[in-house]
Amino acid sequence: MDLTPILHADSDEPLYVQLYHAISREIAAGRIPAGSRLPSIRQLARSAGVGKITVEAAYQQLLAEGYIVSRERSGYFAADIEAWADSRTDERPPLPTEWKKRKGEHLSYRYNFHGSVVDTRHFPYALWRACLTEAMDRYAADFAFYGDDQGEWELRVELARYLRRARTLVCEPEQIVIGTGLQQALSFLCLMLRDDHRVVAMEEPGYADARVVFEHHGFRVVPVPLEEDGLSVDALEQSGATVVYVTPAHQYPHGMVMPVAKRLRLLQWAKACGGIIIENDYDGEFRYNVKPTPSLQGMDQAGTVVYIGNFSKAFSPALRMDYTVLPPVLLRRYLEGFQAYPSPVPRLEQRAMQLFMQKGYWEKHVRKMRTIYQKKHAILLQAIADHMPPCVTVLGHSVGLHILLEVNTDRSEEELIRTAAEAGVRVYPVGRNWLEPRSGQERPRIIVGFGGVREEDIPEGIRLLADAWFGRC
């Protein structure tokens, strides 16, 4: 067989790879029939103008992938494989354009008031890099095997200490499970809860992505309306749910803080019906001019509360690390039935965070960021007072990294957001967090985050937003 592939010496692709591709395409397309004897290494090297080592490397790759077979003392032959179309004549339809959207395109806006974006200018890069390096040196043996299924023990010890001291939890390291984010934590909880519970109650409105997880696992999600101080316990009692997902420290998205009296009623509901409360404390570290309230988990005497916290708001969402504190009833179920699930968080990052906490860097960083965000929070409220008309009301402004703007206007939420984007300002909708359709008479509410916006950009961003909206309020 004559085989004279065209190779390009000036290509970045090695010659043996070019030769491999040329022959594999011919075999796959059927142009080299099955059973055909290929040129010897010496013959092909001469015809292609390359060295014998190049041809031998190409043949070994073709042999390894099943394109050719070797017969002792006879040489190499094309394998009997099913032909497929040449990639140059690929007739597969292209993917729809909308599938190719990149997550994070909104970050290109200078005035991006996203509620989950954090301040990267004050991230402790040098300290974190040092902890990563030390973790690699000190725990080199960790790379030989999987870590603890629940997460590294020493990290869980540090977390338990911090949570007891800073978030009023009553917990031991044995109760903590390290995970990669809220959705993964909720998915895991769904697996543990589904045998005994089928209906989950959520605040209305409540975090849409959490609702999606429950629905994907086959739970029926029922909305429970909000009162001025949080979820309506009266409505919860009538809902038929035995699991409730709540954000008591800073209701998402409306921002109110659940008072102690209502927290006690919620705990009584769980105890009476054998229910489970999932407490998502997603940004409770940041409080402005208000006294901290105890966590539901810390008040729980009956073991009914699952507590979920994270490192996303105080540190970085890119770390993808959170933690779940299981009550004894679910911890027992986890230990008995879920040991086949290794921790999804890389051991290196866990060790680095362990060192970051052991050295005192974590709490120092939280205090620093609390001061920075409190200043941004004050600048935001002042900018709103300076530029927004009376038809705009601020809601939920004592905790966390976002506020709500309620706008007294005949325009829709979508129109307000689109108008803002046209002016170069990104703000975000509350609407997707409602389970049931809202009354058309309700005023639109807009989420305005401030964590990732530069202090000097906040006033200008709000001025542009007011200019985009003001004339039509």
Side-chain angles (χ1 to χ4, degrees), residues 405-423:
L405 294 182
E406 183 179 79
V407 187
N408 186 2
T409 177
D410 58 356
R411 285 177 292 170
S412 68
E413 181 182 271
E414 293 76 14
E415 288 178 285
L416 292 174
I417 289 171
R418 184 174 60 254
T419 302
E422 291 170 354

Side-chain angles (χ1 to χ4, degrees), residues 42-284:
R42 185 185 300 274
Q43 289 171 335
L44 185 54
R46 186 183 305 114
S47 63
V50 297
K52 290 191 293 182
I53 294 177
T54 298
V55 177
E56 187 171 3
Y59 275 180
Q60 289 301 316
Q61 186 68 29
L62 292 164
L63 188 65
E65 296 187 11
Y67 286 101
I68 64 175
V69 295
S70 175
R71 298 176 186 169
E72 189 174 358
R73 297 180 182 178
S74 297
Y76 295 102
F77 296 81
D80 185 9
I81 63 174
E82 184 177 350
W84 58 79
D86 189 294
S87 61
R88 291 170 295 181
T89 60
D90 195 340
E91 297 179 356
R92 289 173 293 184
L95 293 176
T97 303
E98 60 269 22
W99 291 5
K100 300 180 181 181
K101 181 181 178 181
R102 284 181 166 182
K103 190 171 185 177
E105 290 177 349
H106 58 279
L107 298 180
S108 62
Y109 282 71
R110 177 173 180 176
Y111 306 106
N112 175 33
F113 291 93
H114 195 290
S116 296
V117 178
V118 300
D119 189 317
T120 57
R121 289 199 295 174
H122 296 92
F123 185 84
Y125 292 102
L127 293 176
W128 182 243
R129 186 183 302 112
C131 288
L132 284 167
T133 301
E134 183 177 343
M136 291 182 70
D137 293 339
R138 184 187 295 190
Y139 300 105
D142 284 359
F143 293 94
F145 198 64
Y146 305 103
D148 191 303
D149 291 341
Q150 288 182 237
E152 298 302 317
W153 171 256
E154 293 87 348
L155 173 59
R156 291 188 282 133
V157 168
E158 292 302 317
L159 265 174
R161 289 172 180 165
Y162 169 72
L163 293 172
R164 286 194 294 263
R165 183 169 56 252
R167 306 301 300 141
T168 72
L169 266 70
V170 180
C171 68
E172 299 298 330
E174 290 85 352
Q175 295 175 257
I176 297 175
V177 179
I178 306 296
T180 58
L182 176 66
Q183 287 82 350
Q184 186 259 344
L186 292 178
S187 290
F188 209 69
L189 283 172
C190 287
L191 295 176
M192 289 190 279
L193 293 171
R194 64 185 181 183
D195 289 343
D196 301 321
H197 306 272
R198 298 310 306 163
V199 183
V200 177
M202 285 191 64
E203 301 154 317
E204 177 76 326
Y207 187 42
D209 291 355
R211 181 177 70 244
V212 168
V213 174
F214 291 126
E215 291 174 341
H216 281 175
H217 283 271
F219 286 83
R220 182 165 68 89
V221 178
V222 295
V224 177
L226 294 175
E227 300 171 333
E228 290 186 3
D229 58 356
L231 174 135
S232 169
V233 180
D234 289 334
L236 174 63
E237 291 172 344
Q238 302 300 316
S239 70
T242 54
V243 176
V244 62
Y245 169 92
V246 290
T247 50
H250 184 215
Q251 199 280 330
Y252 187 87
H254 277 190
M256 68 274 289
V257 177
M258 185 182 290
V260 170
K262 177 159 281 191
R263 295 178 188 228
L264 289 171
R265 283 198 62 197
L266 190 56
L267 291 169
Q268 290 168 358
W269 164 84
K271 184 178 180 180
C273 73
I276 293 291
I277 301 169
I278 301 174
E279 177 183 13
N280 181 11
D281 189 15
Y282 65 98
D283 64 0

Side-chain angles (χ1 to χ4, degrees), residues 435-454:
L435 177 59
E436 295 184 340
R438 290 173 292 168
S439 166
Q441 298 178 347
E442 291 185 4
R443 296 172 180 174
R445 291 179 175 180
I446 306 297
I447 298 173
V448 180
F450 54 88
V453 189
R454 293 172 180 258

